[in-house]
Amino acid sequence: MTIEIKQLNKTYNPDSEYPVHAVQDLTLTIEQGEFVAIMGPSGSGKTTILNMLGGIDTPTSGEVWIEGKDICQLSEKQLIAFRRDNIGFIFQDYSLLPVLTAQENVEFVMQLQGRSEAECQQRAGELLEQVGLTQQKDKRPPKMSGGQQQRVAVARALAPRPRFVMADEPTANLDAKSTAELLDIMQHLNEVEGTTFIFSTHDPRVIKRAKRVIVFEDGKLASDMLQSELATELEH
């Protein structure tokens, strides 16, 4: 399952005196199973790109092809179903439901898919075990640390077995230990389940782990390198 981005543009306030060209003429392909970091300074278009790939934001022009569908052409109802079944999201602010326990937060999307209660409970339990939170499964987010909440967010994103996970600055609020543990978990799940991870980040700890690093400046693609190529360039 490949993401093919063709001549993608996003302009905010296009009819104003000062339009903001957040993404300009982006053409890019991301293959199934990749572990990709999209990096660049604040305002470079990282989050906008991630939101368009995940169907949260609509491009001004261009195409985003996933599994033979240009998701930019889907109706709102079709897009909601496509996101639910194919794309997981990990947000910087966790975006967990505070009234639900960790277990219930992870089960929530699977319930929306219409899966059985037994399947939801089993899958949520397995994922919480993988992220090291079995003992905290009955806690609600306000009673958990930032690192624990982000682990719940990872488990929730992976619960419906999405093809792609979009992670927007997932380590921004975490200390070094929590960041390393979280990245270990996501790398393991990438390798074991074949889930594609696409990060928006400026965190060097994430960039170091990525197998491919895409750099944006002022809404434009500045470079696209494998980690081995990036290391060679930095040496010189």
Side-chain angles (χ1 to χ4, degrees), residues 94-199:
Y94 320 132
S95 296
L96 300 174
L97 296 172
V99 297
L100 301 183
T101 65
Q103 174 90 16
E104 290 166 343
N105 264 284
V106 177
E107 290 179 10
F108 185 66
V109 177
M110 293 184 287
Q111 292 170 346
L112 294 178
Q113 290 179 314
R115 300 192 187 191
S116 69
E117 182 178 351
E119 184 180 0
C120 291
Q121 289 178 351
Q122 180 178 349
R123 174 72 172 160
E126 290 171 353
L127 285 167
L128 287 170
E129 181 179 2
Q130 287 186 56
V131 300
L133 289 179
T134 299
Q135 300 303 315
Q136 286 77 33
K137 68 183 181 68
D138 295 323
K139 285 187 178 180
R140 290 180 172 81
K143 299 294 184 181
M144 305 177 81
S145 70
Q148 289 173 335
Q149 289 185 66
Q150 195 61 298
R151 290 184 190 203
V152 175
V154 170
R156 180 188 59 185
L158 289 162
R161 302 184 190 277
R163 305 291 187 92
F164 297 93
V165 171
M166 310 293 177
D168 189 14
E169 300 282 5
T171 61
N173 299 319
L174 304 182
D175 59 28
K177 183 174 184 291
S178 296
T179 293
E181 291 173 346
L182 187 69
L183 289 170
D184 285 342
I185 290 164
M186 289 192 282
Q187 277 189 314
H188 174 74
L189 292 169
N190 167 254
E191 293 165 1
V192 170
E193 300 207 1
T195 306
T196 305
F197 281 83
I198 306 172
F199 299 87

Side-chain angles (χ1 to χ4, degrees), residues 36-56:
V36 182
I38 298 175
M39 62 176 287
S42 297
S44 61
K46 303 188 303 296
T47 297
T48 301
I49 293 161
L50 215 63
N51 288 343
M52 288 192 290
L53 299 188
I56 293 177

Side-chain angles (χ1 to χ4, degrees), residues 2-6 63-71:
T2 301
I3 295 179
E4 290 187 78
I5 305 154
K6 301 179 181 180
E63 304 170 0
V64 179
W65 289 84
I66 304 177
E67 203 176 39
K69 298 183 181 73
D70 179 4
I71 66 170

Side-chain angles (χ1 to χ4, degrees), residues 5 8-12 20-26 38-61 64 71-72 89 91 166-169 198-201 216 218-220:
I5 305 154
L8 200 64
N9 291 274
K10 180 64 178 182
T11 302
Y12 294 102
V20 178
H21 302 291
V23 176
Q24 301 180 58
D25 298 321
L26 175 62
I38 298 175
M39 62 176 287
S42 297
S44 61
K46 303 188 303 296
T47 297
T48 301
I49 293 161
L50 215 63
N51 288 343
M52 288 192 290
L53 299 188
I56 293 177
D57 204 353
T58 304
T60 305
S61 63
V64 179
I71 66 170
C72 306
F89 293 93
F91 300 101
M166 310 293 177
D168 189 14
E169 300 282 5
I198 306 172
F199 299 87
S200 161
T201 187
F216 281 87
D218 299 323
K220 296 180 180 179

